[in-house]
Amino acid sequence: MNCENRKRPFGLCVFIALPFLLTINTGWGKPPLKHSSVLEVGSAQALKTLREALAVADSGDVLRVHPGTYPETGLVVSKPLTLRGIGKPVLDAHGLGALLVITANDVHVTGFVFKNVGISYVRDQAALGFVNARDVRIDSNRFDHNFFSIYGARSSGAFIENNDITGLYGHEVANGNGIHLWQCDSMTVRGNHVRGHRDGIYLEFTGNSDVTNNLAEGNIRYGLHFMFSNGSRYAANVFRNNGSGVAVMYSNKIRMEDNRFERNWGSAAYGLLCKGIEDSEVRRNVFEENTVGIFQEGLSRVHFEGNAFIRNGWAIRILADCDDNLYEGNRFAGNTFDVSYNSSMHNSNVFRGNSWDKYRGYDLNHDGRGDIPYRPVELQSSLMDHYPEALALMRSHFLTLLNLLEKQFPVLAPKSLEDDSPLFPPKAGS
Amino acid sequence: MGQIFRYCFWDLLRSRFILAYFGFFLAGSMGIFRFSPSASAAFGALLSAVILLAPLCCQIYGTLYFYQSRGFHELMFAQPIGRIPLCLGQFLALSAALGLAFLMAVGIPMAAYGFSAGGDVRLLMVFVGGGLLLHFIFLALAFLVAVSVEDRLRGFSTSLVIWLTLVFGYDALVMALVMKFSDYPLETPVLAAMLLNPVDLERVLVLMHLDSAALLGYTGASFQKFFGTVLGTWVSLGALLMWIIAPLLLFLRKLTRKDW
């Protein structure tokens, strides 16, 4: 009681003082308009170049940059400013170093075209970087032919939205990442389109972040690459046709929802490569036409629910160091192999209530569940896990024969690896 | 020989077996092309049928045909015509007839459903060319069996054993060896093993051109490296041709030395 009485006036104080504190310190709030002014930049304006404008601008100013090409490198934004491109002005690095680096909080960059940042094997030079910055906002820009496009480090709370990013294509050694975030926190990456980079979107040590509604296609290595980034969520993204798909490694409490993983096809390509993931959720994703839908190594307590695996080589490859994962209500259709598992001894993963197009059971009591269990690990796929050279015998009639035998007398896959309440796949045509 | 070929060929085209063979393959490939989601899937399914059934049919019918020509042979041997032109003419006629049946049974649906192998001419060539060569190989083996084994029952069982060995047994052996020597790098030995069996060779050659090649991983990559080269193409063609020439030469040798 006593305690609360003392606290309340203090909280009230902070509440009232907050806008004043903020206006004084950062110029973040709208009210102090007398401080913030609009600077026009352009060949026909008083300020000819962005460099001049950045030098004279005060905190809180808005720089309106008019159409034209601005050959620049090494610009630094060290004050909270708004950089607004009018009619898509072009910042062109002409193959030289980095274009623009943000070192202040609350900077907003919108409506620009960033071009031609050169390749460096020494520095990770980017078209637009931000370092030690809070609440940066980067939206509706276009990035063309840059080594790295957006590069954030040791920052938090940034919004990276609706940017259109095209990389260098070419070889992965001479190519940077589209959106690269390192040691950041609480980032939002939304609605971007990334292609032709090494990794489309790359997060390392970047926790509590949100990656949603992005499209990453045709990147040389991974569409999304995600390491040591706990508590992040990625949802409703499309990852298509990337060199090796999407890689998620060494993170826990991750949520992956409603994404599409399409056409990651090649001898070392995965829809989703998961390694060292714990306590996470993978729901309602679609994996279509990948060599391997999900490759799983060292996964614990991950819940796979309501995903669809369609026409993949392997829908799921599980290494035996995965434990206590749950696969429920997923749909498997048209995959060459549904599940492979590389041990015949131990298994603590649970499959239940999935629908399998290869299931040939019956439902006598009409509860919608098959009465005999489905065993998703075919002899064929376990053999090939143990002896990869045996893949040369794929589609041979000898293996077909073996498969038939294994169905009757299982020996290779652990007994516990079965779905004891399989759903019936939807009827063809429905 | 030309006359024998012509006579036998036209005779064969009217035989019920060839018609049934043609009809069966036609229906099968029609169905496959009609219901397959993609050209790759269609060729995959068709491949399974071809490497299983073509050897079986050729082996059985080739043996049967030679045994049934016994009367014809005895009649013709009295005429001024050598054994070799006579039997070689028969072999060519049978090869041409079965080959034609196969070609049309596969070709008509492809034309009808506009499957140009997804634009992949090499796949088409490998599939059709390899399929044809498989027919010739197993007919040659069948003639060899028929001329070497006098007793028909034993002849048929020998034919079946050859078919079983090449389609199932050989792969089982390869599998066993792969398991036994799994500690060693096996890409090259497995590749060699695939080259030595015409059924496996045809399967692998077609597989390399299908989507499923990506599933082969590292092994597939080394295969691709071999079969992708000009040398690889010639070596595999040579291997298939050896499987025709060797049994045929043996057959002709046995034929000339046989005491009827």
Side-chain angles (χ1 to χ4, degrees), chain A residues 27 30 32-41 47 53 56-64 80-83:
Chain A
K30 284 284 174 220
L33 268 178
K34 45 193 160 230
H35 276 300
S36 106
S37 50
V38 176
L39 306 179
E40 305 286 341
V41 184
L47 293 162
V56 300
D58 277 328
S59 292
D61 285 356
V62 176
L63 275 56
R64 284 164 50 93
L81 297 173
T82 297
L83 275 58

Side-chain angles (χ1 to χ4, degrees), chain A residues 158-211:
Chain A
F159 275 81
I160 300 171
E161 282 182 305
N162 301 329
N163 298 289
D164 187 81
I165 303 173
T166 308
L168 300 169
Y169 289 98
H171 193 264
E172 71 172 59
V173 173
N175 200 342
N177 300 327
I179 299 173
H180 179 108
L181 301 174
W182 180 73
Q183 273 208 12
C184 295
D185 197 71
S186 310
M187 312 298 273
T188 304
V189 179
R190 188 190 295 156
N192 301 288
H193 184 178
V194 191
R195 47 183 124 56
H197 269 290
R198 180 173 61 202
D199 292 341
I201 302 170
Y202 178 97
L203 283 77
E204 189 172 358
F205 303 110
T206 294
N208 309 314
S209 295
D210 227 26
V211 179

Side-chain angles (χ1 to χ4, degrees), chain B:
Chain B
M1 190 167 91
Q3 217 161 359
I4 294 285
F5 172 79
R6 266 198 302 281
Y7 169 73
C8 288
F9 181 67
W10 291 115
D11 190 45
L12 271 166
L13 282 193
R14 275 173 289 150
S15 83
R16 264 176 298 175
F17 181 86
I18 302 276
L19 280 177
Y21 185 73
F22 167 69
F24 176 79
F25 252 103
L26 183 69
S29 50
M30 276 282 193
I32 286 170
F33 276 113
R34 172 78 181 71
F35 293 111
S36 281
S38 70
S40 190
F43 274 95
L46 212 49
L47 174 71
S48 292
V50 169
I51 59 172
L52 183 71
L53 293 178
L56 179 64
C57 294
C58 290
Q59 190 75 50
I60 294 297
Y61 191 62
T63 319
L64 184 74
Y65 186 79
F66 195 84
Y67 281 142
Q68 278 185 341
S69 311
R70 181 72 183 245
F72 178 62
H73 287 154
E74 278 167 5
L75 174 72
M76 293 304 284
F77 287 161
Q79 312 297 323
I81 178 171
R83 291 176 172 190
I84 289 182
L86 176 68
C87 292
L88 208 57
Q90 275 192 315
F91 171 76
L92 290 177
L94 195 54
S95 304
L98 273 166
L100 187 70
F102 166 73
L103 210 62
M104 299 218 329
V106 179
I108 289 173
M110 275 184 207
Y113 291 104
F115 267 98
S116 55
D120 192 346
V121 185
R122 291 173 55 113
L123 169 59
L124 205 65
M125 272 170 56
V126 164
F127 180 78
V128 174
L132 278 177
L133 287 178
L134 272 190
H135 282 79
F136 303 158
I137 289 166
F138 281 89
L139 285 174
L141 284 170
F143 268 46
L144 175 60
V145 168
V147 82
S148 329
V149 183
E150 192 65 26
D151 181 22
R152 289 187 180 204
L153 205 58
R154 274 190 56 214
F156 278 123
S157 29
T158 313
S159 276
L160 272 180
V161 167
I162 289 180
W163 172 76
L164 274 173
T165 309
L166 287 180
V167 174
F168 294 97
Y170 188 85
D171 290 347
L173 186 70
V174 171
M175 187 75 226
L177 289 177
V178 163
M179 290 165 96
K180 178 88 187 147
F181 296 104
S182 59
D183 295 341
Y184 300 90
L186 284 178
E187 275 76 31
T188 320
V190 167
L191 179 68
M194 295 296 105
L195 271 172
L196 289 179
N197 179 347
V199 181
D200 277 330
L201 183 54
E202 163 69 352
R203 181 175 55 76
V204 169
L205 280 174
V206 174
L207 216 57
M208 288 288 107
H209 289 92
L210 300 182
D211 288 352
S212 22
L215 301 185
L216 295 180
Y218 185 67
T219 314
S222 65
F223 274 34
Q224 205 95 54
K225 223 160 110 188
F226 176 75
F227 290 115
T229 60
V230 180
L231 178 73
T233 314
W234 283 111
V235 168
S236 27
L237 187 65
L240 286 173
L241 287 178
M242 275 311 294
W243 271 96
I244 304 176
I245 293 164
L248 258 190
L249 287 180
L250 269 177
F251 161 70
L252 293 177
R253 196 176 117 101
K254 292 243 173 183
L255 187 69
T256 47
R257 296 187 180 186
K258 190 172 163 97
D259 183 19
W260 297 78

Side-chain angles (χ1 to χ4, degrees), chain A residues 281-297:
Chain A
E281 289 169 18
V282 180
R283 293 177 198 274
R284 298 183 304 274
N285 302 286
V286 177
F287 298 86
E288 199 170 341
E289 292 178 23
N290 305 289
T291 306
V292 180
I294 309 183
F295 183 89
Q296 308 181 351
E297 183 176 350

Side-chain angles (χ1 to χ4, degrees), chain A residues 53 225 242 297 307 390 420:
Chain A
H225 193 174
N242 297 295
E297 183 176 350
N307 302 290
D420 54 9

